[in-house]
């Protein structure tokens, strides 16, 4: 099961987030901070999968953005990486070499595409 998806830039600013569980805003902020502190300082040579609480954080860096997905500990990590890659390919096709500014100014389209990739398949 996917718990949340978020896109974070190198400075730790969340550019897009989608939750598939109900959490209060204070808890979401704490989760964002924890995940950013866990993922951002990691080296490129380290694994893209991190165990966190009783879940797994799967992430991939494309240019200046980190695409982060949180899945159950029993789920396949490669499925998470494949989902991230599919979402990036969809964004690239739509925007033509997507960048952070595309997501900032067209966030509603990015959310729509994320819903289509995850919910509609």
């Amino acid at each position: 099961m996917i718990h949340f998806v978020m896109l974070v830039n190198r400075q730790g600013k969340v550019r897009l987030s989608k939750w598939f569980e109900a959490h209060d805003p204070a808890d979401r902020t704490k989760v964002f901070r924890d995940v950013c502190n866990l993922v951002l300082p990691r080296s490129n040579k380290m694994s893209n999968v991190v165990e966190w609480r009783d879940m797994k954080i799967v992430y991939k860096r494309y240019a200046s953005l980190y695409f982060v997905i949180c899945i159950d500990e029993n789920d396949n990590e490669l499925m998470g990486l494949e989902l991230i890659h599919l979402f990036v390919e969809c964004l690239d096709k739509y925007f033509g070499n997507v960048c952070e500014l595309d997501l900032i100014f067209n966030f509603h389209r990015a959310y729509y595409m994320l819903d289509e990739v995850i919910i509609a398949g």
Side-chain angles (χ1 to χ4, degrees):
M1 182 180 120
I2 300 172
H3 297 279
F4 62 84
V5 176
M6 66 186 222
L7 276 63
V8 183
N9 67 4
R10 279 191 248 164
Q11 288 78 30
K13 279 193 150 186
V14 178
R15 293 301 181 193
L16 183 135
S17 68
K18 178 78 174 177
W19 289 79
F20 299 100
E21 295 179 335
H23 290 281
D24 59 343
D27 187 34
R28 287 183 185 190
T29 305
K30 185 178 180 333
V31 167
F32 287 148
R33 193 176 320 114
D34 289 348
V35 170
C36 286
N37 289 338
L38 189 66
V39 169
L40 294 180
R42 292 176 63 89
S43 153
N44 289 343
K45 295 181 180 183
M46 297 177 87
S47 173
N48 289 352
V49 180
V50 181
E51 291 189 11
W52 177 71
R53 297 184 183 173
D54 57 345
M55 298 170 270
K56 289 181 187 173
I57 302 292
V58 180
Y59 71 94
K60 182 77 174 150
R61 180 178 169 196
Y62 288 96
S64 64
L65 289 172
Y66 286 87
F67 291 75
V68 180
I69 185 169
C70 179
I71 58 175
D72 283 337
E73 64 182 348
N74 298 328
D75 288 343
N76 189 353
E77 301 92 2
L78 294 177
M79 180 268 316
L81 284 171
E82 186 67 27
L83 181 67
I84 290 170
H85 187 70
L86 178 64
F87 182 51
V88 170
E89 282 183 345
C90 291
L91 289 172
D92 273 343
K93 250 184 198 172
Y94 185 80
F95 292 111
N97 200 9
V98 67
C99 68
E100 187 176 350
L101 289 175
D102 292 329
L103 297 176
I104 292 170
F105 293 119
N106 300 301
F107 65 90
H108 53 286
R109 292 185 180 127
Y111 276 111
Y112 178 76
M113 282 194 275
L114 183 62
D115 286 341
E116 286 293 316
V117 166
I118 292 179
I119 296 171

